[in-house]
Amino acid sequence: MNFTLRIWRQKGPASPGDLVTYPMKDVSPDMSLLEMLDGLNERLIAEGQEPIAFESDCREGICGVCGLTINGIPHGRRRSTTTCQLHMRMFEDGEEITIEPFRAGCFPVVKDLVVDRRAFDRIIASGGFISASTGSAPEANSLPVSKKMSDRAMDAAQCIGCGACVASCPNGSAMLFVGAKISHLGLLPQGQPERYDRARKMVAQMDREGFGACTNTGECEAVCPKDISLEFIARMFRDYLRSVFVERPESGAGGGP
Amino acid sequence: MTWLRSLWQSTIGKKVVMAVTGLILFGFVIGHLLGNMQVLLPDGARRINHYSRFLHENAGLLWGARATLLIALILHLITSLQLTLRNRKARPEPYRVKRWREASYASRTMMLSGPIIFFYIVYHLAHLTTGQAHPDFNPDDVYRNLVIGFGVWWASGAYIVAQILIAMHISHGAWSMFQSVGLNHPLYTPPLKMLARVLAIGIAAGYISIPVAVMTGLVT
């Protein structure tokens, strides 16, 4: 298969970028898009040019590192698929393919197609965990979890933190990511003790980072490689509102009221 | 009151403000339609003037409603501007190629339909409530104001265009306000989205029928 690639090249965070055209010939339909880019990079190196910087790690759709905007859609047109799982047979022979980084104010471009997504790490560090004493694992049956709740928690826990939700959102909002992270812990008994504090802290960090606000367009849900639902955004709203309206401020002293 | 401040400063709190004020304005759009559709009933002239007198005789009710709507409108406006500025900053560089998968045209243009509707409201008040933009206004004869006002083709045209924009705004807003207070359920949300669209079209059709009735001579 033959393609015309238009790829975003940008030397560094402060330098201006632009699309550069690269013709690709004799591409195997069984190649993934990233493998094709590997091939292009080998060619660029052989020609003495700077290879295209892009991120990838597991290449099996579970690590969340890869992420390119392909023809205007984060992770490309195939639903429920990460960039690394997108194969060239999904494209038309002779097609022009435009590849851009995940764009958002909170995801500054580092180089070419690589963006800095550490804002997500800071949101997780602000509350996306449970506090538990380490030691030997407790008896599994001592903490019953219904199949229903475990399934819903897993639906949220599927989020791989790739950032496609932010990249697709017209407002650069991270609410699908934060909603999933708040919900997968909040749906399980282990997440209850810190549930509302977690919601408040993670939303506060999301706002501090400068992510936009949800306008319920549903674009994030449609591009999410793990099909995270807008329902989790609503759930985050409920937990956050409860943390604001119902929860009491921490008092220094223990004991009764 | 720290909780109120932290709520107001958060993106989620602001979305709740958008939803609640949106609900109030949506309620008005429905009430206003039901009240004014009386003009199409038999003996519409008497009915609509009677309705107008009823509202003006209950000044407490009228001014209470007006104050509530004004506050809701101002909050809806300020909050939407703040959120939009924030969202623009969070999305500074546009894609060279962008394709939408899911986002409806209405949902992406709320900040276009909204401001136009606002300017329309100002004109509409000057047209049929206070009369400055009306060729021959009589505060005691709503029916006559309506017939003369909509007899001007461009006034009716502006009205009809505004109704279409309001329908677009409602088709997204009427379900969006549930999501923005944390209500989303796999069983209820899809029919709710459908209901929002049906209501939006129904409301626009209802409002548009009034100038159309005047222009076609059904209401004289």
Side-chain angles (χ1 to χ4, degrees), chain A residues 18 69 72 77 100 103 105 167-171 207 210-216 219 230 234 237-238 240 245, chain B residues 3 10-11 15 83 86-87 90-103 172 175-176 179-180 182 184:
Chain A
D18 205 357
T69 303
R77 79 180 75 157
E100 293 177 76
R103 292 195 193 282
S168 69
C169 178
N171 316 312
D207 285 351
F211 287 104
C214 181
T215 51
N216 309 327
E219 199 60 22
L230 283 189
F237 271 60
R238 293 201 296 276
Y240 179 80
F245 283 110
Chain B
W3 64 270
S10 76
T11 45
K15 288 304 292 185
L83 285 172
R86 180 187 179 90
N87 293 349
R91 202 53 225 270
E93 183 153 20
Y95 284 104
R96 295 296 176 91
V97 177
K98 177 73 189 166
R99 256 175 238 175
W100 299 101
R101 286 220 98 141
E102 181 69 33
H172 181 65
W175 82 266
S176 199
Q179 173 82 14
S180 293
N184 181 321

Side-chain angles (χ1 to χ4, degrees), chain B residues 120-189:
Chain B
Y120 168 73
I121 291 171
V122 174
Y123 164 72
H124 188 56
L125 287 173
H127 189 213
L128 291 171
T129 305
T130 57
Q132 285 88 346
H134 194 279
D136 184 14
F137 190 75
N138 176 355
D140 298 320
D141 196 346
V142 172
Y143 184 78
R144 188 170 161 275
N145 292 341
L146 209 97
V147 173
I148 293 175
F150 285 142
V152 181
W153 69 269
W154 57 262
S156 288
Y159 180 95
I160 291 169
V161 170
Q163 298 317 314
I164 293 169
L165 290 171
I166 291 171
M168 279 169 56
H169 209 76
I170 287 175
S171 74
H172 181 65
W175 82 266
S176 199
M177 62 193 179
F178 288 88
Q179 173 82 14
S180 293
V181 292
L183 300 176
N184 181 321
H185 189 282
L187 286 183
Y188 309 128
T189 300

Side-chain angles (χ1 to χ4, degrees), chain A residues 11 40 73 94 96 102 120-121 141 154 245:
Chain A
K11 278 197 161 43
L40 173 60
I73 303 174
E96 185 180 271
F102 275 6
F120 270 14
D121 300 341
N141 290 326
M154 290 307 138
F245 283 110

Side-chain angles (χ1 to χ4, degrees), chain B residues 102-110 112-113 165 168 171-172 197:
Chain B
E102 181 69 33
S104 64
Y105 183 74
S107 76
R108 286 184 278 118
T109 51
M110 294 297 272
L112 195 64
S113 55
L165 290 171
M168 279 169 56
S171 74
H172 181 65
R197 285 183 184 173

Side-chain angles (χ1 to χ4, degrees), chain A residues 3-257:
Chain A
F3 300 103
T4 307
L5 304 181
R6 292 167 70 222
I7 298 176
W8 186 262
R9 300 301 311 260
Q10 183 172 340
K11 278 197 161 43
S15 42
D18 205 357
L19 291 171
V20 178
T21 305
Y22 300 95
M24 280 304 280
K25 287 208 167 74
D26 300 325
V27 176
S28 159
D30 299 328
M31 269 184 175
S32 75
L33 186 106
L34 296 184
E35 283 166 339
M36 181 186 67
L37 290 180
D38 289 337
L40 173 60
N41 272 346
E42 280 173 23
R43 193 177 92 199
L44 291 177
I45 292 166
E47 289 169 0
Q49 294 185 52
E50 181 90 358
I52 298 155
F54 65 92
E55 279 186 280
S56 77
D57 188 16
C58 74
R59 296 211 179 187
E60 54 185 13
I62 55 171
C63 76
V65 165
C66 68
L68 304 172
T69 303
I70 301 145
N71 286 338
I73 303 174
H75 291 308
R77 79 180 75 157
R78 190 163 186 233
R79 284 194 181 248
S80 320
T81 306
T82 53
T83 300
C84 63
Q85 296 282 290
L86 188 68
H87 292 86
M88 297 320 293
R89 54 180 172 271
M90 295 303 300
F91 295 87
E92 310 264 326
D93 192 20
E95 198 177 332
E96 185 180 271
I97 305 172
T98 305
I99 303 175
E100 293 177 76
F102 275 6
R103 292 195 193 282
C106 296
F107 290 169
V109 172
V110 176
K111 187 180 181 183
D112 295 339
L113 301 170
V114 178
V115 295
D116 179 352
R117 284 172 289 188
R118 278 178 295 180
F120 270 14
D121 300 341
R122 290 188 290 270
I123 293 173
I124 295 294
S126 71
F129 50 80
I130 62 159
S131 304
S133 304
T134 53
S136 54
E139 155 61 31
N141 290 326
S142 64
L143 209 54
V145 180
S146 71
K147 172 80 167 73
K148 239 188 211 168
M149 288 314 258
S150 124
D151 283 353
R152 283 182 61 202
M154 290 307 138
D155 284 347
Q158 279 212 83
C159 171
I160 52 175
C162 65
C165 44
V166 179
S168 69
C169 178
N171 316 312
S173 169
M175 286 197 180
L176 194 68
F177 167 75
V178 182
K181 295 302 174 193
I182 287 174
S183 299
H184 89 262
L185 296 173
L187 282 161
L188 293 174
Q190 291 88 343
Q192 295 311 308
E194 290 151 305
R195 180 170 166 188
Y196 301 104
D197 275 344
R198 177 184 304 117
R200 196 175 61 247
K201 286 175 182 166
M202 290 180 78
V203 168
Q205 185 61 32
M206 169 183 86
D207 285 351
R208 259 197 300 277
E209 294 289 345
F211 287 104
C214 181
T215 51
N216 309 327
T217 64
E219 199 60 22
C220 52
E221 182 183 57
V223 304
C224 177
K226 299 296 163 186
D227 301 320
I228 307 292
S229 162
L230 283 189
E231 224 189 309
F232 293 121
I233 297 184
R235 203 187 147 81
M236 168 176 71
F237 271 60
R238 293 201 296 276
D239 278 6
Y240 179 80
L241 291 174
R242 184 176 157 140
S243 83
V244 172
F245 283 110
V246 183
E247 293 288 294
R248 297 166 191 212
E250 278 169 45
S251 67

